[in-house]
Amino acid sequence: MKIYLDYNATTPVREEVLELMFDIYRGDAANPSSIHFLGRQARKFVDEGREKVAAAIGAEPSEIVFTGGGTEADNMAIQGTAFALREEGNHIITQATEHHAVLNTCEFLEKHGFKVTYLPVDGEGLVDPAEVEKAIGAETILITIMTANNETGVIQPIEEIGEITRSRKVVFHTDAIQALGKIPFSVNDLKVDLLSLSAHKVYGPKGVGALYIRKGTRLRPLAYGGHHEGGKRPGTENVAGIAGFGLACELAAQELVESAAHLSILRDRLCGQISENISRVKLNGSPRLRLPNTLNLSFEFIEGEGILLGLEMKGIATASGSACTSGTLAPSHVLSAMGVPAALAQGSIRFSLGRENTVEDIDYTAKALVPIIQRLRDLSPFSEEDIN
Amino acid sequence: MSVEALYSEKVMDHFTNPRNVGKMEDPDGVGTVGNPVCGDVMKLYIKVKDNRIDDAKFQTFGCGAAIATSSMVTELVKGKTLEEAVGLSNKEVAEALDGLPPVKMHCSMLAEDALKSAIEDYRKKIVSSEQ
Ligand SMILES: Cc1ncc(COP(=O)(O)O)c(C=O)c1O
Ligand code: FES
């Protein structure tokens, strides 16, 4: 039995996308900048990819710039705005549970004279729009707040924040990498100026992403070279990757309603079975404002890597917010920011579901978990007695 | 397709079937230590007879490497004199497990520290009972 429950980390490339990309690689020797017929064919693949990505988020194709992934899109948005608007101010607002692609970019900018406000989140992982408004000052040039969190699935009040940033005339960026294909949204509903996407979270290829740049938004490029992507992201286009990303977006949009319903039923079934059969389990993140596929649970008295290993031995792939698995040796910054105590953050597991999962997978996982948790609790120096 | 295992077979063996698990009734020495790096915790109990460690048990809140090194250390110290046991290093424990990934070496410090702390606890008790 092999069960993949780590779709927030990445998704497998879906068959339709794979076929399209194969076809392009087999047939295409051409550079989309070449004007001969092969070049024009390659250009067509890129243009179609751009149209489809734009359509999925309610944007104009001319507002999409392809990048080498989500991390690059976040960097382009944040560094690009900061250096373009440096004369106008040096203050950036973000929040504590952002992905490291955002947080570490902000830290880099702090070393270059920018001031960054890291807004707190509440116990459910949510940012208060009123706090965003209060943090805006004369020097504020950019606000960057993610649409949905990768660890907990928590969905931020982006529309409300968008109202504020628009009336205060501050550039607003959102990392919508986890939201794409899981919840419906459009750049106009969200009222954002910049929005990051990544193909490998929607059954597309890795190493391809996009930044939506609302018409009129000023950005300094990260790299210099040719005229590609309007000079904003020079370099010969990743033709197959872009076309594959476009198709993945189109299919995700078509299937969104059905897939969200299916995944939330499976997710709630998993949560229900676990809480029925295992005591002392806590849900991390807002139960309401959450992606339909994500379940982040803390198991008291034990540490996440042990759970992860136990599940792996049963053929189940998951992720943990424990320090032991992150390589950073500190428990998840997302859970810590939500006020989850360190020991509970250490005992967290993220189940993130996707299109291949079945009811059988869920039941098998919930059942496998019971003896794994029991065994690790028997090993633990902590127990209910310590608390009672 | 085979992928490289995170841990050696021996580590996985001690993680899945840890030896000497649980709380000890009437221990002669107890060491509780936390790993300052990651926040994990190990509790080691020892029984001492004629200056030798007669029995050892553990309870651990930690990763796979922490559990396996805890288990291994209880095996290694049994029958050792206190002087020998105090000299046991985390490297020796890790080697007995056929090694740990470099990022996991710090986990084996838990075992070394808990052992030293349990022996110290025993020695303190002896001194105070002799006074
Ligand atoms: C919220 C979020 N932002 C950014 C990224 C980085 O995207 P990429 O892996 O395409 O660089 C990820 C995923 O890894 C993510 O989940
Ligand atoms: S003991 Fe904490 S990471 Fe291993």
Side-chain angles (χ1 to χ4, degrees):
Chain A
M1 196 95 167
K2 285 267 176 287
I3 299 176
Y4 188 69
L5 294 175
D6 200 15
Y7 286 87
N8 282 11
T10 194
T11 59
V13 179
R14 58 190 295 169
E15 204 54 44
E16 304 92 319
V17 170
L18 210 54
E19 264 175 41
L20 174 65
M21 291 178 68
F22 267 142
D23 285 349
I24 293 173
Y25 273 124
R26 283 210 188 89
D28 164 46
N31 187 318
S33 298
S34 303
I35 55 168
H36 51 65
F37 63 99
L38 287 174
R40 294 200 304 277
Q41 176 59 47
R43 167 65 44 211
K44 192 161 164 264
F45 284 128
V46 171
D47 289 346
E48 280 172 7
R50 197 185 310 280
E51 281 161 24
K52 287 175 178 172
V53 172
I57 59 169
E60 294 295 326
S62 60
E63 295 173 312
I64 301 295
V65 168
F66 287 108
T67 66
T71 301
E72 190 190 331
D74 283 340
N75 271 272
M76 185 186 285
I78 298 167
Q79 290 194 50
T81 304
F83 290 118
L85 303 183
R86 191 159 212 175
E87 310 290 288
E88 290 167 33
N90 70 344
H91 181 227
I92 295 165
I93 299 169
T94 185
Q95 60 90 25
T97 69
E98 291 293 320
H99 192 273
H100 283 118
V102 169
L103 290 179
N104 290 349
T105 305
C106 287
E107 271 172 35
F108 161 76
L109 289 173
E110 280 183 286
K111 292 195 194 105
H112 286 264
F114 291 91
K115 293 208 163 53
V116 181
T117 300
Y118 299 88
L119 292 174
V121 293
D122 66 13
E124 293 200 341
L126 292 161
V127 173
D128 180 357
E131 292 283 325
V132 177
E133 178 138 42
K134 261 195 275 171
I136 299 174
E139 291 286 317
T140 311
I141 50 171
L142 172 70
I143 294 173
T144 172
I145 293 177
M146 71 199 321
T147 311
N149 185 268
N150 42 303
E151 289 186 31
T152 58
V154 168
I155 300 167
Q156 299 295 349
I158 299 300
E159 291 184 30
E160 282 175 65
I161 299 168
E163 293 278 353
I164 296 164
T165 58
R166 201 164 268 187
S167 75
R168 302 290 295 266
K169 299 198 167 50
V170 181
V171 175
F172 185 24
H173 166 248
T174 190
D175 172 336
I177 288 168
Q178 288 292 341
L180 185 68
K182 298 188 185 116
I183 51 169
F185 65 85
S186 78
V187 292
N188 289 333
D189 289 345
L190 297 182
K191 301 183 181 64
V192 292
D193 304 299
L194 300 159
L195 180 142
S196 306
L197 299 173
S198 178
H200 75 98
K201 310 286 183 179
V202 290
Y203 309 95
K206 295 177 205 343
V208 187
L211 182 64
Y212 157 78
I213 307 173
R214 187 177 292 279
K215 203 171 289 162
T217 309
R218 280 159 58 202
L219 277 195
R220 196 183 89 171
L222 294 176
Y224 296 87
H227 55 86
H228 319 81
E229 301 297 297
K232 294 191 177 80
R233 208 280 190 174
T236 301
E237 296 87 340
N238 177 356
V239 178
I242 288 169
F245 185 17
L247 180 56
C249 281
E250 183 177 59
L251 295 171
Q254 281 166 12
E255 294 164 7
L256 192 142
V257 175
E258 204 182 322
S259 141
H262 171 66
L263 292 179
S264 67
I265 288 169
L266 289 185
R267 193 263 319 266
D268 294 343
R269 183 182 178 102
L270 181 60
C271 186
Q273 289 186 0
I274 290 173
S275 18
E276 230 167 74
N277 296 311
I278 301 172
S279 64
R280 299 257 177 199
V281 184
K282 291 207 168 88
L283 173 69
N284 294 313
S286 168
R288 259 178 333 113
L289 299 169
R290 193 162 43 125
L291 294 175
N293 77 318
T294 309
L295 179 63
N296 188 310
L297 297 176
S298 281
F299 296 87
E300 283 190 64
F301 316 127
I302 54 179
E303 193 279 325
E305 194 200 90
I307 309 174
L308 203 95
L309 282 173
L311 287 170
E312 172 169 326
M313 285 158 65
K314 292 278 171 193
I316 306 164
T318 56
S320 166
S322 101
C324 312
T325 59
S326 67
T328 62
L329 301 177
S332 149
H333 72 282
V334 174
L335 300 184
S336 301
M338 290 161 56
V340 176
L344 272 179
Q346 294 281 50
S348 75
I349 293 285
R350 175 187 73 186
F351 302 93
S352 53
L353 282 53
R355 57 196 293 269
E356 279 97 346
N357 292 138
T358 62
V359 172
E360 289 72 39
D361 292 350
I362 296 307
D363 294 357
Y364 175 89
T365 302
K367 206 165 147 212
L369 206 49
V370 176
I372 292 169
I373 302 295
Q374 190 53 51
R375 196 179 80 75
L376 291 169
R377 282 186 177 166
D378 290 344
L379 283 176
S380 172
F382 307 125
S383 71
E384 248 159 286
E385 289 162 36
D386 304 326
I387 292 170
N388 299 334
Chain B
M1 192 163 44
S2 80
V3 290
E4 187 139 343
L6 178 60
Y7 291 127
S8 72
E9 256 172 60
K10 254 210 182 123
V11 172
M12 286 311 286
D13 174 37
H14 278 262
F15 167 72
T16 2
N17 303 298
R19 331 293 198 253
N20 312 306
V21 174
K23 201 167 169 167
M24 185 185 279
E25 301 302 327
D26 291 324
D28 295 324
V30 184
T32 305
V33 294
N35 190 326
V37 189
C38 65
D40 291 347
V41 177
M42 175 176 179
K43 209 163 174 174
L44 186 76
Y45 306 84
I46 52 169
K47 270 230 190 294
V48 182
K49 211 168 167 181
D50 303 333
N51 198 46
R52 277 182 194 277
I53 295 183
D54 193 41
D55 197 9
K57 289 184 102 177
F58 80 92
Q59 290 177 303
T60 292
F61 170 95
C63 68
I67 290 170
T69 48
S70 305
S71 166
M72 183 50 94
V73 83
T74 58
E75 290 268 278
L76 288 176
V77 295
K78 273 199 225 174
K80 280 205 166 46
T81 65
L82 293 181
E83 292 69 31
E84 288 166 345
V86 160
L88 192 69
S89 74
N90 72 313
K91 278 211 188 83
E92 288 170 79
V93 182
E95 273 162 25
L97 287 164
D98 294 338
L100 287 170
V103 292
K104 290 288 178 178
M105 275 310 286
H106 76 99
C107 313
S108 60
M109 280 309 294
L110 266 185
E112 180 185 323
D113 291 347
L115 177 62
K116 289 201 162 78
S117 149
I119 292 172
E120 196 178 317
D121 179 53
Y122 166 76
R123 284 180 169 157
K124 259 193 231 140
K125 279 188 196 154
I126 294 293
V127 172
S128 59
S129 67
E130 279 171 355
Q131 277 170 351

